[in-house]
């Protein structure tokens, strides 16, 4: 039996007692992916990105492994919730305008010690101070360095539009602003190179584009390594007690870890390995998170219809943002319909072997966004579901 057929048989046996739609995480694959991230990090701790996991039980599982330390969160409300749940090192990766959250943070010594907030503008410090409501705790601060590659005098930009702090001088100026401000302590720098870590460089059927991406990424890595090192030196001259410099992402772990200026790596999607990571040459992971939809119709030869399926991922809309039919092999969307909110027709010869009630297994385009569709993840070991754990949604938490 070929590997994917064997996986389908395992998952079908494991979930035979469960009605679909249903989501699973293959723990053997999850653990193997975690080990691979640690290997590629080459001794530097991996801070797990909660946005890509969105399940407290699995965050606890991965943080119990050697080589992982700390969480990178995505909202202030989530950060406070995780800190109250016992996670003691939470780096908020995005600036916040949550005034109630800042009031809570500044009033609670435990939360203030556990959570670090992201800053790239003095106005964000003003917002925190205006939200304190008498809370006097010192707020831990991290600065974000813009990682975009700028060419032709800045007329060409490659990379996400995140922080306005691009040059070492700009980051150092912001560091001085923080250190001179009572009630704040500068503890870290973050620089997420999404155009390197989050863009596939081996897209099937597009060899010229893939080569162009690889050339761009090689140029961007060299430029960023020099600029990041200079920025860290400039900030350490202002704040010698800097605790961490965070960088990377699943697609660039080994490259970022090789930079002396970086002290820790961020990664999360590589634990689940969604479909977008099939387009990378930097690593090969095992799909760990899947969802199954039930066959509810057989409209004709070579066609089945499954219930639901319209789970697009965030980002620029396109076919690569759609879940992909994974098991059994050989199924594809009807180009006239695509995946629908309430039903999805699937075409291909494999459809003729499917019966009403059978499961079709899918992979989401991104990692944690799958968990916004399911309240429970069923954890599979071998060909058995050994336990079920709630997602954030299952715990009544929908932070964005």
């Amino acid at each position: 039996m070929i590997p994917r057929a064997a996986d389908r048989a395992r998952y079908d046996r494991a979930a035979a007692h469960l009605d679909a739609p249903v989501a699973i995480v293959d723990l053997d694959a999850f653990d193997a992916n975690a080990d691979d991230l640690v290997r590629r990090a080459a001794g530097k701790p991996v801070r797990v990105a909660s946005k890509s996991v969105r399940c407290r039980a699995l965050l606890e599982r991965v943080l119990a492994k050697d080589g992982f330390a700390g969480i990178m969160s995505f909202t202030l409300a989530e950060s406070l919730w995780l800190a109250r749940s016992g996670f003691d090192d939470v780096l908020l990766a995005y600036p916040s305008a949550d005034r109630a959250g800042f009031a809570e943070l500044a009033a609670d010594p435990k939360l203030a010690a556990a959570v670090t907030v992201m800053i790239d503008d003095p106005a964000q410090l003003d917002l925190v101070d205006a939200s304190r409501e008498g809370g006097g705790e010192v707020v831990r601060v991290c600065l974000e360095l813009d990682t975009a590659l700028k060419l032709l005098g800045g007329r060409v930009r490659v990379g996400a539009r995140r922080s306005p702090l691009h040059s070492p001088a700009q980051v150092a100026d912001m560091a001085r602003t923080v250190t001179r401000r009572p009630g704040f302590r500068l503890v870290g720098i973050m620089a997420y190179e999404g155009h390197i870590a989050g863009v596939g460089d081996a897209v099937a059927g597009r060899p010229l584009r893939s080569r162009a991406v690889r050339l761009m990424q090689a140029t961007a890595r060299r430029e960023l390594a020099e600029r990041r090192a200079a920025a860290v030196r400039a900030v350490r001259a202002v704040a010698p007690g800097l605790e961490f410099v965070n960088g990377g992402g699943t697609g660039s772990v080994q490259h970022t870890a090789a930079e002396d200026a970086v002290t820790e790596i961020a990664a999360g999607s590589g634990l689940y390995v969604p479909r977008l990571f099939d387009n990378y040459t930097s690593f090969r992971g095992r799909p760990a998170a899947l969802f199954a939809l039930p066959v509810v119709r057989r409209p004709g030869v070579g066609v089945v219809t499954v219930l639901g399926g319209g789970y697009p991922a965030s980002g620029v809309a396109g076919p690569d943002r759609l879940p992909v039919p994974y098991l059994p092999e050989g199924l594809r969307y009807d180009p006239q319909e695509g995946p629908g909110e309430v039903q999805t027709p699937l075409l291909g010869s494999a459809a003729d072997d499917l019966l009403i009630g059978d499961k079709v297994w899918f992979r989401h385009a991104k990692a944690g966004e799958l968990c916004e569709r399911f309240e429970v993840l069923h954890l599979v070991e071998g060909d058995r579901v050994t336990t079920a754990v709630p997602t954030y949604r299952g715990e009544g938490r929908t932070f964005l």
Side-chain angles (χ1 to χ4, degrees):
M1 187 179 293
I2 61 174
R4 276 177 63 173
D7 283 342
R8 181 194 175 198
R10 284 198 302 116
Y11 300 149
D12 280 347
R13 286 196 297 271
H17 63 294
L18 299 172
D19 288 333
V22 65
I24 66 168
V25 171
D26 183 334
L27 288 181
D28 291 338
F30 181 90
D31 290 341
N33 294 334
D35 292 343
D36 183 65
L37 289 171
V38 170
R39 177 189 63 79
R40 291 196 287 134
K44 292 187 176 178
V46 178
R47 183 181 291 272
V48 62
S50 63
K51 181 173 71 73
S52 300
V53 179
R54 303 194 202 196
C55 171
R56 280 199 300 168
L58 290 176
L59 289 173
E60 291 169 353
R61 182 183 183 92
V62 74
L63 286 171
K65 294 178 176 292
D66 291 339
F68 286 87
I71 289 176
M72 177 176 282
S73 59
F74 60 99
T75 74
L76 181 56
E78 179 211 15
S79 305
L80 300 176
W81 178 63
L82 291 173
R84 287 194 298 268
S85 301
F87 297 96
D88 60 4
D89 180 5
V90 183
L91 169 62
L92 174 57
Y94 304 88
S96 177
D98 181 353
R99 291 176 174 82
F102 283 131
E104 186 177 355
L105 177 68
D108 189 315
K110 178 184 174 182
L111 297 179
V115 175
T116 301
V117 302
M118 193 62 60
I119 295 293
D120 58 35
D121 189 308
Q124 295 156 348
L125 300 175
D126 296 339
L127 191 147
V128 175
D129 274 339
S131 305
R132 286 181 181 269
E133 296 182 356
E137 296 298 323
V138 173
V139 174
R140 293 166 54 86
V141 167
C142 178
L143 304 181
E144 180 168 1
L145 170 69
D146 173 44
T147 64
L149 175 65
K150 295 184 177 182
L151 304 171
L152 302 177
R155 292 190 296 275
V156 176
R157 175 192 176 93
V158 181
R161 296 184 181 276
R162 293 176 62 111
S163 172
L165 307 177
H166 186 80
S167 70
Q170 288 174 314
V171 182
D173 284 346
M174 189 65 205
R176 280 186 282 272
T177 298
V178 174
T179 57
R180 292 169 182 166
R181 189 99 171 222
F184 297 94
R185 182 165 74 254
L186 178 58
V187 298
I189 300 173
M190 186 191 83
Y192 171 58
E193 52 267 46
H195 53 302
I196 302 171
V199 177
D201 62 349
V203 181
R206 305 189 68 179
L208 294 180
R209 181 184 186 280
S210 297
R211 177 171 172 77
V213 169
R214 288 194 291 273
L215 290 172
M216 175 277 291
Q217 290 178 338
T219 301
R221 281 197 298 268
R222 290 191 296 270
E223 185 275 337
L224 178 59
E226 294 179 4
R227 183 161 51 89
R228 178 155 42 198
V232 171
R233 287 194 299 270
V235 172
R236 287 195 185 279
V238 176
L242 205 66
E243 296 176 13
F244 64 85
V245 177
N246 181 281
T250 290
S252 70
V253 170
Q254 63 269 40
H255 302 296
T256 308
E259 295 182 32
D260 290 338
V262 174
T263 66
E264 63 176 39
I265 309 300
S269 296
L271 296 168
Y272 286 169
V273 185
R275 67 163 292 194
L276 283 176
F277 285 101
D278 292 348
N279 301 326
Y280 286 71
T281 59
S282 60
F283 80 106
R284 284 287 181 270
R286 292 171 55 186
L290 301 97
F291 66 94
L293 301 177
V295 174
V296 292
R297 284 177 170 162
R298 292 170 50 88
V301 176
V303 186
V304 292
T305 301
V306 295
L307 182 69
Y311 305 160
S314 60
V316 179
D320 66 338
R321 300 291 143 165
L322 301 178
V324 61
Y326 184 58
L327 300 170
E329 293 187 73
L331 295 173
R332 65 187 186 279
Y333 293 125
D334 182 336
Q336 301 301 314
E337 296 194 47
E341 180 186 12
V342 292
Q343 70 164 36
T344 298
L346 298 171
L347 312 180
S349 58
D352 293 330
D353 296 323
L354 291 168
L355 304 176
I356 299 296
D358 284 351
K359 294 179 175 70
V360 176
W361 296 92
F362 292 74
R363 293 170 64 199
H364 204 277
K366 288 192 171 183
E369 292 183 21
L370 167 67
C371 295
E372 298 300 334
R373 300 286 181 170
F374 293 89
E375 295 184 350
V376 171
L377 296 174
H378 297 271
L379 306 185
V380 173
E381 297 183 69
D383 63 355
R384 295 186 305 115
V385 169
T386 54
T387 190
V389 294
T391 61
Y392 281 11
R393 174 178 171 175
E395 295 197 71
R397 307 286 175 167
T398 50
F399 295 108
L400 280 178

